[in-house]
Amino acid sequence: MMLALGLAAGTAPCAATRSSTGQTRCSAAGPRTAQSHDTPLLDAVKERGSRSADVPFHVPGHKRGSSTPSRLQHMLGSALQYDLTELEGLDILSTPSGPILAAQRLAAQAWGADSTIFLVNGSTGGIHAAVMACCGPSDALIVARNAHLSAHNAMVLAGCTPVYVQPCCDKGLGIAHHVSPAALEAAFEEAQQQGLRVAAALVVSPTYFGVMSDIAGLAAVCHSRGVPLLVDEAHGAHLGLHPGLPPSALQCGADVAVQSTHKQLSAMTQAAMLHLRGSRVQPQRVRRALQLLQSSSPSYLLMSSLDAARHQALDPAGHAEALAAATYARQQLGSLPAVQLLSLEQVAASDSWSGSTCGLSIDPLRLTFSLQKLGLSGYQAAAALEQAHGVVAELATPTCVVLAMSIGTTMRHAEALTAALRQLIGEHSNDHSSSAVCTASQVPQLPPPRVKLSPRDAFFAAAEVVPAGQAAGRVSAELLCPYPPGVPAAYPGEVLTAEVVQQLQAVMQQGGTVTGCSDGSLETLRVVAGA
């Protein structure tokens, strides 16, 4: 029954047979069962923080919560009693040998990794470390054009050269979806033509909108060339932990998966994990990068929450309730004619390479929907849901609303959502006065950008502000991303064309947004001085 719940959201059953080798075979089965249900780090922190006889002459300065500001203490209670430092028995994150190491090993066992590293700077730090572990200044990174900003900043740190692969674009909703294996193949060929050595490939799966790429197919493309596949799986820490959930990137052959354990599971905000599998990425290089990137005073509260979240995630009951609530919400929303739910068929239709659903899936705990039939933009719909009904969405775009469900989602949440949507639709069913919604079909397809400077060189270059009308031909000093389609029109170091500037302005005029620009009006743009 639970497997049917997962497939109802759009898991393509052919994903399990996509690859030809055991290493990249995608398995829908859960990860290896943990041998212990202990929480070694959580227990160690609890025991040390509970020692009432200790006289603390160590940091942090609040002295185990005794001098916590009163207003903060009113909010947090006694939590700072356990906000400790590297005391005896608590281990050291950068060189673990005690409870941190034990907790990381249990996490690796739970997620089917060869090794797992705790992150206290979110998935951002993990992406930085993974890229730095694989790429240097003489290397190229194949990276999805819709990757998170952390991917671009990772290239600044590593000094590598990007080779962008275009994700499939949903013209109806104006959002970017998955990267297809065929598109990745084309990116490898492009890199070869440019004489570049590809050291790694990085894709996002699931996307913010819940679409999961054919990781088995992408891994097969990479591994046939001896290149590791890195997956930004920030929104997928729950995947593969229950039969009703699609398999994780690691289960499908990825070499590195970076997960925000706080997003879909119950760790504290900023707590994440980096999972490694296989020999293509050396764990010691990742750890060396993290010693450069992570704080030497990591939060033991954050790390303890990772240990506790792993323990909780192995209980199938929590996932079962969330899946049942998600299935109910999906069924209820699907029965409303005014609601357009993102479907697997719609995702496949955006794929100009194959148009097939094979290997693709949609996270059953992510609901992306549109009320365009009512003339409501995603922003308007999300604002109405929150202001009138207290239903707070994860994300809104000009066309759609994204709802993030998780291990903490209950049937009560699902019922509140469906009731609020029914009322919202009833209030607007006869209202056609809303302005038209900007979609990707209104945004022209641009030719591939010309790269003038590497991300690192563009970062360190001096910049100046020029009128937008004078920006064509100059090198961008900022990342300019129009929504729709949610794919950057220009990265720092790329040459701005008149068509790019016109596209950005057209998106703004049609009700869309442009992120990354220092001037929200787009009257001026930041460009590299003298370039």
Side-chain angles (χ1 to χ4, degrees):
M1 178 180 176
M2 285 298 109
L3 180 59
L5 288 172
L7 292 177
T11 302
C14 50
T17 59
R18 175 61 180 83
S19 68
S20 57
T21 66
Q23 188 164 8
T24 59
R25 189 178 306 279
C26 188
S27 171
R32 293 172 291 180
T33 302
Q35 297 301 309
S36 171
H37 291 286
D38 294 338
T39 49
L41 180 56
L42 178 69
D43 296 343
V45 170
K46 181 180 179 182
E47 188 278 329
R48 194 65 204 257
S50 299
R51 293 186 187 179
S52 58
D54 281 2
V55 181
F57 283 95
H58 59 78
V59 298
H62 58 66
K63 302 304 178 187
R64 305 196 186 183
S66 63
S67 66
T68 303
S70 58
R71 294 187 179 188
L72 183 61
Q73 188 170 35
H74 180 72
M75 182 174 71
L76 297 181
S78 61
L80 292 189
Q81 173 184 347
Y82 305 101
D83 182 29
L84 303 173
T85 187
E86 292 93 339
L87 302 175
E88 181 181 355
L90 294 188
D91 211 353
I92 300 172
L93 178 60
S94 60
T95 54
S97 60
I100 293 178
L101 179 62
Q104 288 183 153
R105 284 177 172 171
L106 285 171
Q109 190 174 6
W111 273 274
D114 292 333
S115 59
T116 291
I117 303 173
F118 286 178
L119 305 171
V120 293
N121 192 29
S123 284
T124 291
I127 295 298
H128 292 169
V131 172
M132 291 180 70
C134 297
C135 302
S138 62
D139 298 323
L141 173 71
I142 293 180
V143 57
R145 188 77 182 178
N146 64 329
H148 187 263
L149 177 62
S150 60
H152 172 79
N153 291 337
M155 292 187 285
V156 172
L157 292 167
C160 58
T161 300
V163 176
Y164 291 107
V165 54
Q166 290 290 343
C168 299
C169 183
D170 188 319
K171 293 189 178 298
L173 289 179
I175 57 178
H177 289 318
H178 59 291
V179 169
S180 71
L184 184 60
E185 287 269 14
F188 271 105
E189 293 172 3
E190 178 186 344
Q192 185 176 13
Q193 291 171 3
Q194 296 181 26
L196 298 173
R197 175 190 174 273
V198 176
L202 171 64
V203 299
V204 181
S205 180
T207 66
Y208 223 125
F209 305 97
V211 175
M212 300 167 61
S213 294
D214 176 7
I215 296 298
L218 296 175
V221 171
C222 288
H223 295 169
S224 67
R225 293 167 171 79
V227 171
L229 175 64
L230 318 178
V231 179
D232 178 350
E233 202 174 25
H235 291 269
H238 59 303
L239 298 175
L241 295 178
H242 186 279
L245 291 166
S248 69
L250 221 61
Q251 291 170 327
C252 291
D255 299 276
V256 174
V258 181
Q259 298 176 339
S260 292
T261 321
H262 66 91
K263 282 182 165 56
Q264 302 304 115
L265 299 178
S266 296
M268 293 174 65
T269 295
Q270 203 171 308
M273 298 187 195
L274 186 152
H275 304 293
L276 298 106
R277 193 171 186 179
S279 59
R280 293 182 181 86
V281 179
Q282 300 176 26
Q284 61 268 31
R285 289 186 62 86
V286 176
R287 295 190 181 97
R288 182 181 175 189
L290 285 171
Q291 286 180 357
L292 176 72
L293 297 164
Q294 294 210 112
S295 171
S296 59
S297 301
S299 167
Y300 280 79
L301 290 175
L302 291 181
M303 292 187 291
S304 296
S305 77
L306 286 171
D307 197 19
R310 182 270 312 162
H311 178 269
Q312 181 192 44
L314 293 180
D315 181 1
H319 298 292
E321 182 175 6
L323 282 165
T327 299
Y328 172 82
R330 194 177 296 275
Q331 290 173 345
Q332 292 297 308
L333 268 61
S335 68
L336 302 174
V339 177
Q340 295 171 277
L341 272 175
L342 179 64
S343 67
L344 189 60
E345 292 70 27
Q346 183 178 349
V347 172
S350 72
D351 190 343
S352 60
W353 293 93
S354 70
S356 169
T357 62
C358 188
L360 301 177
S361 58
I362 294 179
D363 179 3
L365 297 187
R366 188 61 57 103
L367 279 176
T368 298
F369 69 91
S370 170
L371 294 181
Q372 292 182 89
K373 290 181 179 179
L374 296 179
L376 290 177
S377 71
Y379 301 133
Q380 292 169 327
L385 286 171
E386 180 171 356
Q387 293 167 8
H389 306 282
V391 174
V392 185
E394 167 65 20
L395 174 73
T397 77
T399 61
C400 62
V401 177
V402 179
L403 305 175
M405 290 172 283
S406 71
I407 196 170
T409 299
T410 66
M411 188 61 73
R412 182 178 64 85
H413 294 147
E415 291 169 346
L417 166 66
T418 55
L421 265 175
R422 288 182 185 277
Q423 185 171 337
L424 177 62
I425 291 170
E427 293 168 353
H428 291 270
S429 59
N430 297 318
D431 181 8
H432 302 287
S433 61
S434 299
S435 59
V437 177
C438 178
T439 66
S441 60
Q442 299 168 274
V443 179
Q445 187 75 26
L446 297 176
R450 181 164 66 92
V451 178
K452 187 72 175 291
L453 297 175
S454 71
R456 170 178 278 185
D457 289 342
F459 178 85
F460 286 107
E464 61 183 351
V465 176
V466 300
Q470 299 176 19
R474 302 294 299 273
V475 177
S476 180
E478 51 192 353
L479 191 156
L480 302 170
C481 184
Y483 285 87
V487 178
Y491 275 97
E494 294 179 350
V495 177
L496 291 167
T497 64
E499 291 77 15
V500 165
V501 176
Q502 290 168 6
Q503 183 203 55
L504 297 173
Q505 293 174 334
V507 167
M508 293 280 286
Q509 292 167 0
Q510 295 164 4
T513 58
V514 176
T515 63
C517 49
S518 54
D519 178 1
S521 70
L522 282 185
E523 292 180 0
T524 62
L525 294 171
R526 285 179 60 83
V527 298
V528 174

